[in-house]
Amino acid sequence: MCALLNGRSIDSTMGFTALDGLPMGTRCGQIDPGVLLYLMAEKGMSPDAVQKFLYSECGLKGLSGISNDVRDLQSSREPGAILAIDHFVHRIGLHAGMLAAALGGLDAFVFTAGIGERSSTMRARIAEKLVWLGVELNAAANDSGQTVISPKGSRVMLCVLPTNEELMIAQHSLALLSAAAGQDRRRSA
């Protein structure tokens, strides 16, 4: 999650790496550093094994014991699946509060990427956690896939915005390569 003010990021749930913050499909999310010490000292895991574990075997996959795919977890009644989804929603609520504090309040909360774009159920559960921030959900707009899913006059606008991360990476890479090529031409002239 990212707190944006006037189009600029002022805070994020990520830390030094993407392991911090929210649990992801296979990444652990925020974790007590003592866990790392325990895994190495008590379980005999090497630093490489701990790294592989935290990036590939944790998060929703590790909590559920089933899958890293929210669709699979939402359709399952297995206790691990329920735990994983509940934990994910809980952590989003906590981090939303942190980011709202960094901003001094919220004008809008934007759902994006795979889960945010595609799961009306997850959006509804998350919006329920954010009511204390002034969030209101228009259930019909949410269920019908509209872009604005808050009612008119809501203190905090709720939006669903599709992303294309690969396109953005490609555009930024092209701009960087074009700028570098321009510098090479100026040096050779």
Side-chain angles (χ1 to χ4, degrees):
M1 293 173 65
C2 184
L4 296 172
L5 182 63
N6 298 321
R8 296 198 57 188
S9 170
I10 63 161
D11 205 345
S12 168
T13 56
M14 286 194 204
F16 180 71
T17 69
L19 284 178
D20 200 8
L22 296 175
M24 303 296 283
T26 60
R27 293 191 301 247
C28 61
Q30 185 177 7
I31 190 168
D32 179 338
V35 172
L36 310 178
L37 301 173
Y38 172 81
L39 291 173
M40 290 189 285
E42 300 297 322
K43 295 296 184 180
M45 293 176 75
S46 70
D48 286 343
V50 170
Q51 181 176 358
K52 182 176 190 269
F53 175 69
L54 296 176
Y55 275 99
S56 304
E57 300 299 323
C58 291
L60 299 176
K61 179 181 178 183
L63 286 168
S64 71
I66 296 171
S67 174
N68 66 346
D69 191 319
V70 169
R71 294 169 296 192
D72 295 338
L73 300 177
Q74 286 181 298
S75 66
S76 174
R77 296 293 15 127
E78 291 293 320
I82 294 166
L83 170 69
I85 293 291
D86 287 349
H87 178 73
F88 185 65
V89 170
H90 177 73
R91 298 306 294 184
I92 289 172
L94 291 176
H95 284 280
M98 176 190 76
L99 295 175
L103 291 167
L106 294 180
D107 294 325
F109 190 92
V110 180
F111 293 95
T112 190
I115 298 167
E117 287 178 49
R118 297 183 189 99
S119 178
S120 62
T121 303
M122 290 299 289
R123 289 192 302 265
R125 290 199 56 192
I126 292 164
E128 189 176 293
K129 284 280 189 192
L130 306 180
V131 167
W132 69 275
L133 289 168
V135 167
E136 297 177 58
L137 178 70
N138 177 330
N142 183 41
D143 292 340
S144 65
Q146 294 183 27
T147 302
V148 177
I149 59 172
S150 53
K152 277 190 189 269
S154 178
R155 195 169 96 206
V156 176
M157 179 184 271
L158 289 178
C159 301
V160 181
L161 295 178
T163 57
N164 189 335
E165 294 170 0
E166 292 83 4
L167 176 62
M168 293 305 298
I169 291 168
Q171 288 174 339
H172 287 285
S173 297
L174 182 60
L176 183 63
L177 291 171
S178 295
Q183 287 178 350
D184 287 344
R185 277 186 289 239
R186 287 190 295 275
R187 278 190 225 138
S188 63

